[in-house]
Amino acid sequence: MMKLSISIACFCYLFMIIMSLYSVEAREVVYNVVTKFGANPDGRTDTTNSFLNAWKTACNSAGYSSATIYVPRGKYVLNQAIFKGQCKNNIYITFQIDGILLSPKDYSVLGKTGKWIAFEDVSRVSIKGGTIDARGMALWSCKLAEKKCPAGATQSLLFSNSKDITITGLTSINSQMFHIVINGCQNVHMEGVKVKASGKSPNTDGIHVQQSTNVNIISATIMTGDDCISIGPGTFHLWIEKVVCGPGHGISIGSLGKGFDEPGVQNVTVKSVTFSNTENGLRIKTWGRPSDGFVRGVNFQGARMNNVNNPIIIDQNYCPHNEDCPDQISGVQISDVHYKDISGTSATRVAVNFDCSSKNPCKDITLENIKLTYRNQPAHATCINADGSASGFVEPASCLSR
């Protein structure tokens, strides 16, 4: 009987320890940037320190499994804000934004900083909702007038060397340069993101991904003055679906191959996308320079083109101002690229343009169920150094070499 009592007591004690650990593990905490850290949402007062202190507190929270940094309604002016990891206990941190984050009104404040809001070496971070406004209009005007002006913040929002990131329902407007950049990251999910800038705004890419693996971009609406989505070197396993693009320069893999020792791009899927009044639709672009880079395993499936200048294009002779391009021959090898179920209207007579490298011709390009017209007439296709095949209904007629 004594042994049974001891066994029951031990079991109860062990059960209480487990439940205690579970309750600690499941605890959550909320930090309000206004009530706890003194941020003034008047659209004039600098609130940078309030946000940084909220992050520091959340990052160092002990005994919690998750922390939420809550940004109530209002307008918050932020100077450059860099949120750095690694946080204690692998805590999950959510920025719940109901307000608007504003850059300083004077663009020279961020003119040479390179980035505005940045997360570096973090994991398990989520951004939900809110608007970030870099107020780039005055800087665009300066650049378009060819005056002497700074580059501006090259990214409104940057995630660098991070993993397990989620961005949902965020709106980025009027970026000085790139809106959202994912660099050197793993496991990133973006959904319901909106990007808005003038169609004449220079270098304002909507979402840029490079040196990253397992990135999803779902249900995004992007209106900007450069690429809606640009894909840089070192991108693997990228999934893009249900994106609406326009105005803008389309979805671009590249430019690639500016440097010789450059990682390639592999396993990219672009599915169920719409382009309206854009410079390009589905584009692969490489420099006319020696390189050991590559593009392979790309699937473009289900795209609607509405008055697009270059609906389908591979350009391996990219060389702005004809500078720094010895021999004008790209070393990037493009292969295993598939176009399926693409329809709509081209704003130019040539709707399909494969201009590939003479040194490394494009290989294994496939076209299936393509219907692109120009002014209610069949459009044209041109191919240089491009090998592949076509199946199903293909208009304009394929020019690929077998």
Side-chain angles (χ1 to χ4, degrees):
M1 190 72 175
M2 179 68 70
K3 289 183 179 180
L4 179 61
S5 299
I6 293 173
S7 297
I8 294 173
C10 290
F11 174 80
C12 291
Y13 180 68
L14 180 61
F15 179 78
M16 286 188 293
I17 291 176
I18 293 172
M19 292 304 295
S20 175
L21 290 173
Y22 176 80
S23 64
V24 170
E25 188 66 24
R27 291 177 65 192
E28 301 178 3
V29 62
V30 177
Y31 299 110
N32 187 313
V33 296
V34 174
T35 59
K36 186 171 180 61
F37 296 97
N40 188 343
D42 63 358
R44 298 186 302 273
T45 305
D46 187 349
T47 63
T48 309
N49 285 336
S50 297
F51 277 75
L52 293 176
N53 289 334
W55 170 262
K56 184 177 180 180
T57 302
C59 192
N60 290 301
S61 295
Y64 295 97
S65 61
S66 65
T68 296
I69 298 173
Y70 177 58
V71 184
R73 291 183 179 181
K75 296 181 178 181
Y76 303 82
V77 176
L78 285 180
N79 206 320
Q80 185 184 62
I82 301 177
F83 304 100
K84 296 185 177 181
Q86 294 285 334
C87 295
K88 286 187 176 180
N89 305 320
N90 200 28
I91 190 170
Y92 188 99
I93 299 179
T94 297
F95 269 88
Q96 177 64 56
I97 306 173
D98 289 342
I100 299 172
L101 310 186
L102 299 171
S103 73
K105 193 171 183 179
D106 181 358
Y107 60 73
S108 66
V109 175
L110 295 175
K112 297 181 180 179
T113 59
K115 50 199 170 189
W116 175 28
I117 301 169
F119 292 83
E120 298 178 351
D121 302 304
V122 303
S123 62
R124 305 182 75 193
V125 171
S126 176
I127 297 177
K128 294 183 178 180
T131 297
I132 57 174
D133 182 357
R135 300 201 271 197
M137 295 86 75
L139 181 58
W140 306 338
S141 297
C142 178
K143 291 180 177 180
L144 292 171
E146 298 183 350
K147 296 179 181 179
K148 187 176 181 180
C149 40
T154 52
Q155 303 108 15
S156 283
L157 176 63
L158 166 68
F159 276 90
S160 178
N161 299 318
S162 300
K163 62 181 180 179
D164 302 326
I165 306 301
T166 303
I167 304 171
T168 56
L170 176 71
T171 298
S172 174
I173 63 175
N174 301 324
S175 181
Q176 295 181 12
M177 290 185 68
F178 288 25
H179 285 262
I180 300 171
V181 173
I182 306 299
N183 177 46
C185 296
Q186 298 178 4
N187 305 327
V188 178
H189 183 84
M190 286 182 273
E191 188 162 354
V193 170
K194 296 180 180 179
V195 169
K196 187 175 182 179
S198 166
K200 296 182 179 179
S201 56
N203 302 117
T204 52
D205 289 40
I207 300 172
H208 179 74
V209 181
Q210 65 177 29
Q211 304 284 355
S212 297
T213 303
N214 294 328
V215 177
N216 297 329
I217 303 171
I218 311 295
S219 299
T221 301
I222 303 173
M223 297 176 284
T224 193
D226 210 298
D227 293 333
C228 289
I229 299 175
S230 54
I231 302 161
T235 299
F236 294 84
H237 305 295
L238 171 64
W239 187 280
I240 299 168
E241 185 173 1
K242 296 180 182 177
V243 170
V244 176
C245 170
H249 292 184
I251 295 177
S252 295
I253 298 177
S255 56
L256 303 176
K258 187 174 183 180
F260 184 81
D261 295 318
E262 184 180 273
V265 171
Q266 187 169 354
N267 294 340
V268 174
T269 296
V270 178
K271 184 177 181 181
S272 302
V273 293
T274 301
F275 302 93
S276 297
N277 302 308
T278 54
E279 182 69 24
N280 307 290
L282 304 168
R283 174 169 66 164
I284 300 175
K285 178 175 67 172
T286 73
W287 281 76
R289 296 167 56 96
S291 174
D292 61 359
F294 61 86
V295 177
R296 56 178 174 249
V298 178
N299 287 285
F300 296 120
Q301 182 176 351
R304 178 67 186 177
M305 307 288 176
N306 299 314
N307 197 44
V308 174
N309 282 353
N310 302 292
I312 295 175
I313 180 170
I314 295 177
D315 177 9
Q316 291 207 260
N317 291 291
Y318 179 67
C319 187
H321 314 298
N322 289 318
E323 297 176 356
D324 300 322
C325 299
D327 302 323
Q328 293 274 0
I329 298 175
S330 176
V332 176
Q333 175 66 69
I334 297 175
S335 62
D336 192 22
V337 180
H338 310 284
Y339 302 86
K340 182 179 180 181
D341 298 332
I342 297 169
S343 63
T345 58
S346 175
T348 61
R349 187 173 296 277
V350 178
V352 178
N353 184 3
F354 296 133
D355 186 6
C356 299
S357 169
S358 60
K359 180 180 179 181
N360 292 311
C362 297
K363 297 179 180 179
D364 300 323
I365 310 297
T366 66
L367 299 170
E368 182 179 356
N369 298 335
I370 311 294
K371 186 176 182 180
L372 296 168
T373 61
Y374 169 67
R375 296 183 177 178
N376 296 319
Q377 299 292 324
H380 291 181
T382 65
C383 295
I384 301 174
N385 305 314
D387 298 334
S389 62
S391 62
F393 181 87
V394 175
E395 184 181 278
S398 172
C399 55
L400 293 167
S401 301
R402 292 182 179 275

